[in-house]
Amino acid sequence: MTFKASIRACLILLVLGFGVLACPQGAFAHTLEAHFQPQSESLEIQAIFSTGEFYDGADVVVHPPGDAEAEEIQGLTDEDGRFVFEPDYDLVGDWTIEVGEGNHWDLLIVPVVDGRIGFDQITQLHPELPHHHHHYASNQLFVAAIALGSFLASRLLRGKFSI
């Protein structure tokens, strides 16, 4: 093997090694699903990964309706991924509940009307929506960098590009 071929082989290994080692963990991660179950006067939320594992200690932030002057409620899920939400029924409107963080996140909008939770009107926003996840752009740039590196490495192997 010539010196030039050795440099090419090292460069290819370096590009491939960087691609494997620098790949974001979120690309291989599982997703979060926030399931909810109506109780008599509360809403039980359970955070479960797509693998079936409970999200123990997931951050939960409850935002009161937009025009209310109440403080947000912060908490954590228990070892079974559960969090029980019981709103202040005097605050009518849509309560927003965020479960998890980063790549593992979901959001519920829980309406309170006429002194009760409108269980049949609860909406859920899914993690694929871009309004919360800022990491998607960086993941796309990373994939583009790997694609460019792979293209250049293939050109080096074919001898159509020189260093």
Side-chain angles (χ1 to χ4, degrees), residues 1-20:
M1 183 179 269
T2 66
F3 179 71
K4 193 173 186 180
S6 297
I7 290 177
R8 285 182 185 167
C10 287
L11 181 62
I12 291 169
L13 286 175
L14 182 65
V15 167
L16 292 176
F18 175 76
V20 170

mmCIF file of all heavy atoms in Angstrom, residues 1-20:
data_model
loop_
_atom_site.group_PDB
_atom_site.id
_atom_site.type_symbol
_atom_site.label_atom_id
_atom_site.label_comp_id
_atom_site.label_asym_id
_atom_site.label_seq_id
_atom_site.Cartn_x
_atom_site.Cartn_y
_atom_site.Cartn_z
ATOM 1 N N MET A 1 0.853 -1.177 0.000
ATOM 2 C CA MET A 1 0.000 0.000 0.000
ATOM 3 C C MET A 1 0.896 1.236 0.000
ATOM 4 O O MET A 1 1.813 1.349 0.801
ATOM 5 C CB MET A 1 -0.892 -0.017 1.245
ATOM 6 C CG MET A 1 -1.858 1.129 1.302
ATOM 7 S SD MET A 1 -2.924 1.079 2.763
ATOM 8 C CE MET A 1 -4.303 0.159 2.154
ATOM 9 N N THR A 2 0.621 2.147 -0.887
ATOM 10 C CA THR A 2 1.423 3.355 -0.991
ATOM 11 C C THR A 2 1.053 4.337 0.111
ATOM 12 O O THR A 2 0.030 4.190 0.786
ATOM 13 C CB THR A 2 1.210 4.032 -2.362
ATOM 14 O OG1 THR A 2 -0.123 4.490 -2.416
ATOM 15 C CG2 THR A 2 1.500 3.081 -3.501
ATOM 16 N N PHE A 3 1.896 5.316 0.275
ATOM 17 C CA PHE A 3 1.656 6.338 1.297
ATOM 18 C C PHE A 3 0.346 7.089 1.035
ATOM 19 O O PHE A 3 -0.443 7.343 1.937
ATOM 20 C CB PHE A 3 2.841 7.305 1.334
ATOM 21 C CG PHE A 3 2.675 8.402 2.339
ATOM 22 C CD1 PHE A 3 2.754 8.122 3.704
ATOM 23 C CD2 PHE A 3 2.426 9.710 1.947
ATOM 24 C CE1 PHE A 3 2.598 9.120 4.638
ATOM 25 C CE2 PHE A 3 2.259 10.714 2.877
ATOM 26 C CZ PHE A 3 2.347 10.420 4.232
ATOM 27 N N LYS A 4 0.107 7.414 -0.241
ATOM 28 C CA LYS A 4 -1.114 8.138 -0.606
ATOM 29 C C LYS A 4 -2.352 7.289 -0.321
ATOM 30 O O LYS A 4 -3.367 7.784 0.165
ATOM 31 C CB LYS A 4 -1.046 8.533 -2.086
ATOM 32 C CG LYS A 4 -2.072 9.534 -2.502
ATOM 33 C CD LYS A 4 -1.812 9.985 -3.920
ATOM 34 C CE LYS A 4 -2.756 11.091 -4.293
ATOM 35 N NZ LYS A 4 -2.553 11.575 -5.648
ATOM 36 N N ALA A 5 -2.280 6.006 -0.600
ATOM 37 C CA ALA A 5 -3.406 5.113 -0.333
ATOM 38 C C ALA A 5 -3.633 4.974 1.175
ATOM 39 O O ALA A 5 -4.780 4.874 1.635
ATOM 40 C CB ALA A 5 -3.156 3.743 -0.962
ATOM 41 N N SER A 6 -2.573 4.975 1.951
ATOM 42 C CA SER A 6 -2.692 4.906 3.413
ATOM 43 C C SER A 6 -3.389 6.140 3.967
ATOM 44 O O SER A 6 -4.220 6.043 4.866
ATOM 45 C CB SER A 6 -1.312 4.771 4.058
ATOM 46 O OG SER A 6 -0.697 3.577 3.680
ATOM 47 N N ILE A 7 -3.051 7.300 3.426
ATOM 48 C CA ILE A 7 -3.690 8.534 3.865
ATOM 49 C C ILE A 7 -5.175 8.496 3.517
ATOM 50 O O ILE A 7 -6.025 8.870 4.329
ATOM 51 C CB ILE A 7 -3.007 9.769 3.224
ATOM 52 C CG1 ILE A 7 -1.614 9.953 3.832
ATOM 53 C CG2 ILE A 7 -3.845 11.023 3.435
ATOM 54 C CD1 ILE A 7 -0.825 11.073 3.226
ATOM 55 N N ARG A 8 -5.505 8.029 2.321
ATOM 56 C CA ARG A 8 -6.909 7.918 1.931
ATOM 57 C C ARG A 8 -7.671 6.969 2.861
ATOM 58 O O ARG A 8 -8.781 7.263 3.287
ATOM 59 C CB ARG A 8 -7.037 7.420 0.499
ATOM 60 C CG ARG A 8 -6.709 8.436 -0.529
ATOM 61 C CD ARG A 8 -6.894 7.883 -1.907
ATOM 62 N NE ARG A 8 -6.463 8.855 -2.901
ATOM 63 C CZ ARG A 8 -6.280 8.582 -4.156
ATOM 64 N NH1 ARG A 8 -6.479 7.358 -4.605
ATOM 65 N NH2 ARG A 8 -5.903 9.523 -4.995
ATOM 66 N N ALA A 9 -7.073 5.832 3.158
ATOM 67 C CA ALA A 9 -7.729 4.857 4.040
ATOM 68 C C ALA A 9 -7.941 5.444 5.432
ATOM 69 O O ALA A 9 -9.018 5.270 6.036
ATOM 70 C CB ALA A 9 -6.899 3.575 4.122
ATOM 71 N N CYS A 10 -6.949 6.160 5.940
ATOM 72 C CA CYS A 10 -7.084 6.792 7.260
ATOM 73 C C CYS A 10 -8.179 7.858 7.244
ATOM 74 O O CYS A 10 -8.952 7.971 8.199
ATOM 75 C CB CYS A 10 -5.753 7.406 7.695
ATOM 76 S SG CYS A 10 -4.536 6.198 8.180
ATOM 77 N N LEU A 11 -8.232 8.633 6.164
ATOM 78 C CA LEU A 11 -9.258 9.668 6.045
ATOM 79 C C LEU A 11 -10.652 9.049 6.014
ATOM 80 O O LEU A 11 -11.579 9.524 6.684
ATOM 81 C CB LEU A 11 -9.018 10.509 4.788
ATOM 82 C CG LEU A 11 -10.011 11.649 4.551
ATOM 83 C CD1 LEU A 11 -9.955 12.651 5.694
ATOM 84 C CD2 LEU A 11 -9.729 12.341 3.237
ATOM 85 N N ILE A 12 -10.806 7.970 5.275
ATOM 86 C CA ILE A 12 -12.104 7.290 5.212
ATOM 87 C C ILE A 12 -12.492 6.737 6.574
ATOM 88 O O ILE A 12 -13.629 6.889 7.021
ATOM 89 C CB ILE A 12 -12.072 6.184 4.134
ATOM 90 C CG1 ILE A 12 -11.981 6.822 2.749
ATOM 91 C CG2 ILE A 12 -13.301 5.278 4.245
ATOM 92 C CD1 ILE A 12 -11.686 5.850 1.640
ATOM 93 N N LEU A 13 -11.547 6.106 7.246
ATOM 94 C CA LEU A 13 -11.827 5.576 8.589
ATOM 95 C C LEU A 13 -12.174 6.702 9.558
ATOM 96 O O LEU A 13 -13.054 6.550 10.411
ATOM 97 C CB LEU A 13 -10.639 4.771 9.105
ATOM 98 C CG LEU A 13 -10.444 3.401 8.462
ATOM 99 C CD1 LEU A 13 -9.158 2.762 8.970
ATOM 100 C CD2 LEU A 13 -11.635 2.517 8.753
ATOM 101 N N LEU A 14 -11.497 7.821 9.420
ATOM 102 C CA LEU A 14 -11.777 8.967 10.292
ATOM 103 C C LEU A 14 -13.196 9.483 10.064
ATOM 104 O O LEU A 14 -13.940 9.734 11.016
ATOM 105 C CB LEU A 14 -10.757 10.080 10.039
ATOM 106 C CG LEU A 14 -10.876 11.326 10.899
ATOM 107 C CD1 LEU A 14 -10.597 10.976 12.352
ATOM 108 C CD2 LEU A 14 -9.910 12.384 10.421
ATOM 109 N N VAL A 15 -13.604 9.619 8.808
ATOM 110 C CA VAL A 15 -14.951 10.098 8.497
ATOM 111 C C VAL A 15 -15.999 9.115 9.006
ATOM 112 O O VAL A 15 -16.986 9.499 9.645
ATOM 113 C CB VAL A 15 -15.111 10.345 6.978
ATOM 114 C CG1 VAL A 15 -16.567 10.543 6.599
ATOM 115 C CG2 VAL A 15 -14.288 11.548 6.548
ATOM 116 N N LEU A 16 -15.786 7.838 8.751
ATOM 117 C CA LEU A 16 -16.740 6.828 9.215
ATOM 118 C C LEU A 16 -16.775 6.743 10.739
ATOM 119 O O LEU A 16 -17.836 6.616 11.344
ATOM 120 C CB LEU A 16 -16.411 5.465 8.607
ATOM 121 C CG LEU A 16 -16.624 5.345 7.101
ATOM 122 C CD1 LEU A 16 -16.161 3.993 6.611
ATOM 123 C CD2 LEU A 16 -18.068 5.586 6.742
ATOM 124 N N GLY A 17 -15.615 6.809 11.369
ATOM 125 C CA GLY A 17 -15.555 6.778 12.836
ATOM 126 C C GLY A 17 -16.256 7.976 13.456
ATOM 127 O O GLY A 17 -17.003 7.837 14.431
ATOM 128 N N PHE A 18 -16.052 9.144 12.881
ATOM 129 C CA PHE A 18 -16.739 10.328 13.371
ATOM 130 C C PHE A 18 -18.248 10.178 13.234
ATOM 131 O O PHE A 18 -19.016 10.525 14.127
ATOM 132 C CB PHE A 18 -16.266 11.580 12.618
ATOM 133 C CG PHE A 18 -17.020 12.814 12.992
ATOM 134 C CD1 PHE A 18 -16.754 13.455 14.187
ATOM 135 C CD2 PHE A 18 -18.011 13.318 12.164
ATOM 136 C CE1 PHE A 18 -17.462 14.587 14.545
ATOM 137 C CE2 PHE A 18 -18.723 14.450 12.517
ATOM 138 C CZ PHE A 18 -18.448 15.082 13.713
ATOM 139 N N GLY A 19 -18.680 9.641 12.100
ATOM 140 C CA GLY A 19 -20.110 9.444 11.872
ATOM 141 C C GLY A 19 -20.742 8.522 12.892
ATOM 142 O O GLY A 19 -21.850 8.748 13.361
ATOM 143 N N VAL A 20 -20.036 7.467 13.267
ATOM 144 C CA VAL A 20 -20.571 6.523 14.255
ATOM 145 C C VAL A 20 -20.535 7.110 15.661
ATOM 146 O O VAL A 20 -21.504 7.038 16.408
ATOM 147 C CB VAL A 20 -19.784 5.191 14.207
ATOM 148 C CG1 VAL A 20 -20.150 4.304 15.371
ATOM 149 C CG2 VAL A 20 -20.041 4.484 12.890
#
